[in-house]
Amino acid sequence: MNSVNQVGMLALLVTLLFGGQSNACSCGPQHPQTAFCHSDIVIKGKIIQREQVTAGNANEGSEWIRYEIKQTKMFKGFEKATDVQYLYTPHDGGLCGFEPTDDVLDNQKELIIAGMMGEDGRVSVSVCSFIQPWANLTSSQKRGIMFNYKNHCNCKISPCQFVPCALSSEQECLWTDGLFTRSWDHVQAQQYACVKQDNGVCGWAPQKPTGLRGVFTSNQ
């Protein structure tokens, strides 16, 4: 089954389980490093065109939105593709489809896009995908995407949503931005990465221009 149909079936299952469009999609907090590590493709580019298409074979075909992309930089997925031309997403927001703002479309703002690629070569995204204007990222996040996140995908970032929180292994960092600030887009998301230290334990470290140094704690 191709990637587009996989996304569609999962989205439909979510809709059936939760019973309505307003409750169909619920995206949990996702640190930029997690988004990078869990995605097949991470690129920088602009959306230049939007059209509705039918994807899949005659029996499984369904309506999708296809965004034409002008890729300007690739950060992950070199072994899968050299140039991403299209993104596919469910046409209905109730099925978790991604819909850019008018500002992004009208001004063709440069985006960071993290998506999944199926065996058919199609890159699919959803409302829960990490897609942000490049200009909105902090310098630390940009350094993470360009240089550092890829080296520490063996470390896991776990959101701490309720106290008490506890680590399940030494390869894990507790993400507490939302616990203390009611916003997950705060200090740990904006300035830090979860990295493996010399002793093999993962911990938070600031994204400095000269490299990842100054880990302030091993497990928090």
Side-chain angles (χ1 to χ4, degrees), residues 9 12 23 33 58 61 72 84 95 121 124 130 158 170 186 189 201:
M9 290 185 66
L12 179 59
N23 296 321
Q33 179 178 339
T72 56
V84 176
L95 295 177
S124 57
F130 187 76
S158 297
E170 293 184 339
H186 207 61
V201 177

Side-chain angles (χ1 to χ4, degrees), residues 201-216:
V201 177
C202 292
W204 291 110
Q207 301 292 282
K208 296 183 178 181
T210 54
L212 292 173
R213 297 180 181 177
V215 176
F216 66 85

Side-chain angles (χ1 to χ4, degrees), residues 152 155 170 172-173 191-208 211-220:
H152 301 282
C155 290
E170 293 184 339
E172 187 177 7
C173 296
Q191 306 294 337
Y192 285 81
C194 181
V195 308
K196 181 165 287 190
Q197 304 170 67
D198 293 339
N199 61 1
V201 177
C202 292
W204 291 110
Q207 301 292 282
K208 296 183 178 181
L212 292 173
R213 297 180 181 177
V215 176
F216 66 85
T217 177
S218 297
N219 297 319
Q220 297 182 11

Side-chain angles (χ1 to χ4, degrees), residues 43-47 104 109-113 131-134:
I43 63 170
K44 182 167 60 172
K46 302 176 182 180
I47 297 176
V104 166
K109 288 192 172 182
E110 202 163 39
L111 305 171
I112 182 71
I113 302 167
I131 304 175
Q132 298 287 336
W134 180 256

Side-chain angles (χ1 to χ4, degrees), residues 132-149:
Q132 298 287 336
W134 180 256
N136 289 1
L137 301 182
T138 67
S139 58
S140 295
Q141 290 171 331
K142 291 176 181 178
R143 283 194 293 272
I145 290 168
M146 291 188 291
F147 306 114
N148 299 324
Y149 291 158

Side-chain angles (χ1 to χ4, degrees), residues 12-108:
L12 179 59
L13 177 60
V14 171
T15 302
L16 293 173
L17 287 173
F18 290 93
Q21 291 190 2
S22 61
N23 296 321
C25 299
S26 179
C27 306
Q30 186 174 214
H31 192 280
Q33 179 178 339
T34 302
F36 183 97
C37 291
H38 288 184
S39 298
D40 294 326
I41 297 286
V42 181
I43 63 170
K44 182 167 60 172
K46 302 176 182 180
I47 297 176
I48 59 176
Q49 187 174 349
R50 176 189 186 276
E51 62 178 327
Q52 189 165 316
V53 299
T54 300
N57 59 40
N59 296 322
E60 297 179 334
S62 56
E63 295 299 317
W64 290 76
I65 299 299
R66 185 175 72 181
Y67 295 105
E68 186 177 350
I69 300 295
K70 181 180 180 181
Q71 177 182 308
T72 56
K73 184 74 174 178
M74 176 171 278
F75 302 109
K76 184 181 180 182
F78 300 97
E79 74 284 0
K80 297 179 180 293
T82 56
D83 183 41
V84 176
Q85 294 182 305
Y86 299 104
L87 301 177
Y88 290 84
T89 194
H91 80 286
D92 192 330
L95 295 177
C96 308
F98 163 71
E99 181 68 33
T101 64
D102 291 339
D103 182 49
V104 166
L105 288 175
D106 295 342
N107 298 301
Q108 293 192 3

